[in-house]
Amino acid sequence: PQAAQKAKESLKTGAESRAEEFIERGRYQQAIDLLESLLENDADNPRLHYLLGKAYSLKGDLFAAIKHLEEAIRVDEHFHAAYYLLAQNYSKVNLLDEALKNYQTYFAVKPQAGVAVEIARIYERMGRADLAREYYAKANSMNPGNPNLQNRLDQASTDVANDLYLRASQAFTMEDFAGAATLYEQALADRKS
């Protein structure tokens, strides 16, 4: 029985390797066909679902990709690569809250400057310049001296200061002078930092 089980596992590994080769060569439909046939006998294999998600992503069928990546995570909540690819797909279909949740799950386990930048970009798309700046700062601290990251951090800081200035102007027009003064001071302090 143990030898039969090992043979079965090595067959799966060989088939998974073929599917990965198909994906690498841009033969996504062949990979999908192979992986779906493997799933018939092994429906709870997170790696098969992940590879299907990857193949569907590259093929451009993002909702099918999302379905399989979610299934990979359902079966194995520690399949971190699935969180990252799932976040990318959610971002592409403009489901930003879901993208953010998955990026942050991945970032908590595998903090990387590139992932921090992707989180910052999601926050920018959501209109949250303050949180975007926070993640650009994290990316910058992980990769100091990168001029692109420094430029993005500077731009995010400018955006936060501009937002504070606009909010202060609105408070001023509504005759909330104390609130306007506080927001103007925050905008000036934020811009100087």
Side-chain angles (χ1 to χ4, degrees), residues 3-184:
Q5 181 63 27
K6 284 187 179 186
K8 183 179 176 187
E9 288 173 6
S10 67
L11 276 176
K12 282 190 232 176
T13 304
E16 288 174 14
S17 296
R18 276 198 325 272
E20 287 176 328
E21 281 181 40
F22 287 146
I23 291 170
E24 288 172 15
R25 293 185 176 160
R27 295 163 60 186
Y28 309 127
Q29 191 57 52
Q30 285 180 290
I32 290 167
D33 293 342
L34 174 59
L35 291 163
E36 285 182 347
S37 71
L38 294 172
L39 269 182
E40 290 174 9
N41 297 322
D42 196 5
D44 283 337
N45 184 328
R47 181 145 175 79
L48 294 177
H49 284 289
Y50 172 77
L51 289 172
L52 266 168
K54 185 175 180 179
Y56 276 120
S57 293
L58 293 167
K59 186 179 176 189
D61 190 348
L62 301 179
F63 288 104
I66 287 169
K67 175 187 141 200
H68 284 286
L69 293 167
E70 286 177 342
E71 186 63 16
I73 292 168
R74 185 196 66 76
V75 174
D76 180 1
E77 67 183 25
H78 300 292
F79 203 110
H80 299 109
Y83 286 101
Y84 183 73
L85 188 53
L86 183 58
Q88 288 181 320
N89 283 292
Y90 274 133
S91 178
K92 289 175 187 173
V93 297
N94 214 30
L95 293 170
L96 302 181
D97 288 328
E98 292 298 318
L100 194 56
K101 180 178 80 172
N102 285 284
Y103 274 133
Q104 288 173 331
T105 300
Y106 182 81
F107 187 76
V109 176
K110 298 185 180 215
Q112 301 165 6
V115 178
V117 168
E118 290 185 52
I119 293 171
R121 287 181 180 158
I122 295 290
Y123 277 126
E124 284 178 333
R125 289 170 61 191
M126 296 172 93
R128 297 295 312 267
D130 54 331
L131 293 171
R133 180 182 59 180
E134 178 185 327
Y135 276 89
Y136 282 130
K138 288 180 183 186
N140 194 43
S141 69
M142 293 175 176
N143 193 2
N146 182 318
N148 291 332
L149 284 176
Q150 189 58 51
N151 287 338
R152 286 199 175 268
L153 181 57
D154 292 344
Q155 183 59 48
S157 293
T158 299
D159 292 345
V160 169
N162 287 341
D163 181 56
L164 288 168
Y165 176 79
L166 290 173
R167 288 175 43 209
S169 296
Q170 183 179 14
F172 185 79
T173 60
M174 299 183 80
E175 297 184 12
D176 177 8
F177 301 118
T182 301
L183 289 167
Y184 280 130

